[in-house]
């Protein structure tokens, strides 16, 4: 394992069986045995190739995936640290990357290989399958991402994007931050027109509907645990304010009736 | 004509050969001879069944469609009024409805039948055809919309929505107003991430791209000639401000690290 390659059928320890853990578990179990640990899940078989188990047992796998809220990442990392086998590969799937990267590098033993990931899909967008969707990989420690990327590309059919936690969080602050902000604004504005609408507004309503039921932990991480989120939010608001002010001034101007000839 | 039915192949006078006039002209010319008038278009044949002509000649048709900017509607209505035949049917296609409805009812002779329309599509959304798209009809004067609606539904394949100018403008202030406002905000925010993005944000980028190249006249009408637009804009900004303020306060709160077990 120290050469970065994956053994033919390594056991995977999956921590967290929330919306995202449940989404990816069957895709993993189709290729490797999966041991799931979630405090809410009693030990026992879940489906062929997948069983719920205790924390120590799931942490003893050569590959460990943390599908837990970012706000729980530190507690989980501390809890599994003593049980990880030598050269285990640990990956998170959080919606932000700078903070989990810091936590995992700080809390996990030095022999552990660490890769931060952000699958850019969820139960809504991947309800017809995960193939064709995107995943961000940030290799952090003792990781050559080749074998992981090859598995994600060839076996799961994902589009793999290699980058750094900071570059990820900058772009995600725009992509996810603005989508969630807009969804919250439209939700507070009340019922949106459905019949008297345009193709473009239909897309906006569809986009906001996709994130409206995201877990509160995901929305919280996107708004508060991405260090670039606040600046994007304040810039959006400042620009919206300038546009509204300029529009109000134009409203007050005389009607721009034009001649026809 | 006074019974509201359409003759088998009435001549149509089309005023305005901008982006929208050019989009619908071939769909009309496939069924009726079309005489186009636009100050920028020299008289002469345009395609089979369609010729550019002078104002008087186009206004002499039994059906006249005004595909001109809302800000020019009054000048055009005054110019064509003396040339319209008895019981002519005049329809506009503006993005707002209260203001054109007032102008047409005020400026056109009493014998003229008037129907205000808003096709909820444009060159972007209908680049693969207009069938399946929506059109709003507001019958205003001496119009039973049955024959017009039947032509739009059966012959052009459009989804017809019957309503009033005020109900239209209320919904359009949300649908079109918010789409255009968002497109302007995102455009000022600069380049958006394309790789590190989500399916939902991809939809938002696609929506704003669809309206980004709309004619300035269309954007102006949506922002300033819909009497409900200002209230929607100010409400959007007030809610965005409240959310940003609450998020800033949460950012300042201690990190919500949670236990795992």
């Amino acid at each position: 394992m120290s050469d970065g390659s994956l053994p033919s059928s390594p056991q995977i320890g999956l921590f967290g069986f929330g919306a995202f853990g449940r989404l990816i578990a069957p895709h993993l179990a189709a290729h490797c045995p999966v041991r799931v640990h979630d405090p809410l899940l009693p030990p026992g078989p879940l489906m062929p190739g997948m069983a719920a188990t205790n924390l120590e047992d799931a942490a003893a796998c050569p590959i460990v995936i943390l599908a837990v809220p970012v706000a729980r990442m530190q507690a989980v990392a501390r809890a599994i640290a003593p049980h990880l086998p030598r050269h285990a590969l640990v990956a998170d799937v959080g919606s932000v990357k700078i903070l989990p990267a810091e936590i995992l590098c700080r809390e996990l033993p030095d022999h552990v290989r660490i890769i931060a990931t952000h699958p850019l899909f969820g139960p809504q967008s991947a309800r017809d399958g995960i193939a064709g969707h995107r995943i961000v990989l940030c290799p952090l420690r003792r990781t050559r991402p080749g074998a992981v990327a090859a598995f994600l590309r060839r076996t799961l059919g994902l589009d793999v994007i290699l980058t750094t936690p900071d570059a990820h969080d900058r772009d995600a602050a725009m992509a996810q931050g603005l989508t969630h902000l807009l969804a919250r604004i439209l939700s507070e504005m009340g019922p949106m027109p459905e019949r008297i609408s345009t193709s473009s507004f239909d897309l906006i309503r569809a986009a906001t509907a996709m994130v409206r039921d995201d877990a509160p932990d995901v929305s919280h991480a996107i708004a508060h645990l991405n260090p670039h989120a606040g600046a994007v939010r304040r810039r959006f608001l400042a620009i919206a304010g300038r546009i509204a002010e300029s529009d109000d001034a134009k409203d007050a101007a005389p009607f721009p009736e034009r001649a026809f000839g």
Side-chain angles (χ1 to χ4, degrees), chain A residues 46-128:
Chain A
L46 292 167
M47 57 175 278
M50 197 197 313
T53 184
N54 61 38
L55 183 143
E56 293 76 7
D57 192 47
C61 294
I63 298 177
V64 168
I65 297 174
L66 306 181
V68 301
V70 176
R72 283 197 194 166
M73 200 72 71
Q74 179 167 295
V76 176
R78 283 184 185 174
I80 64 171
H83 310 290
L84 294 168
R86 258 195 103 60
H87 303 139
L89 174 66
V90 175
D92 81 309
V93 297
S95 298
V96 299
K97 293 276 58 73
I98 294 175
L99 183 62
E102 283 172 4
I103 290 171
L104 297 180
C105 289
R106 185 180 65 229
E107 301 293 342
L108 299 183
D110 197 49
H111 67 83
V112 168
R113 299 179 297 143
I114 306 172
I115 187 161
T117 86
H118 179 197
L120 296 169
F121 54 88
Q124 282 289 319
S125 55
R127 64 181 178 277
D128 298 326

Side-chain angles (χ1 to χ4, degrees), chain A residues 129-241:
Chain A
I130 64 170
H133 282 284
R134 287 161 284 193
I135 184 168
V136 171
L137 295 192
C138 306
L140 295 180
R141 191 209 275 168
R142 297 182 194 284
T143 316
R144 280 180 294 165
V148 174
F151 172 77
L152 297 171
R153 277 197 190 107
R154 289 179 208 152
T155 310
L156 298 185
L158 293 171
D159 176 11
V160 175
I161 302 166
L162 281 170
T163 190
T164 63
D166 188 66
H168 169 275
D169 279 11
R170 275 184 198 279
D171 280 357
M174 299 276 259
Q176 298 190 290
L178 291 177
T179 305
H180 278 249
L181 178 59
L182 185 65
R184 290 158 72 196
I185 299 172
L186 293 199
S187 162
E188 285 200 32
M189 289 192 81
M192 291 287 134
E194 296 185 14
R195 283 280 282 162
I196 299 186
S197 179
T198 54
S199 301
S200 44
F201 191 64
D202 289 347
L203 293 181
I204 290 175
R205 285 198 304 123
T208 57
M210 283 172 77
V211 303
R212 196 163 293 149
D213 298 325
D214 272 4
D217 283 313
V218 172
S219 306
H220 177 265
I222 288 168
H224 300 293
L225 304 183
N226 179 336
H228 299 292
V232 167
R233 188 169 65 223
R234 285 185 287 277
R235 213 155 133 254
F236 179 90
L237 192 68
I239 292 171

Side-chain angles (χ1 to χ4, degrees), chain A residues 14-19 21-22 35-43 52-55 58 67-69 72:
Chain A
L14 175 63
F15 283 79
F17 208 57
R22 285 196 296 274
R35 297 191 219 161
V36 182
H37 177 71
D38 188 297
L40 299 174
L41 202 63
T53 184
N54 61 38
L55 183 143
V68 301
R72 283 197 194 166

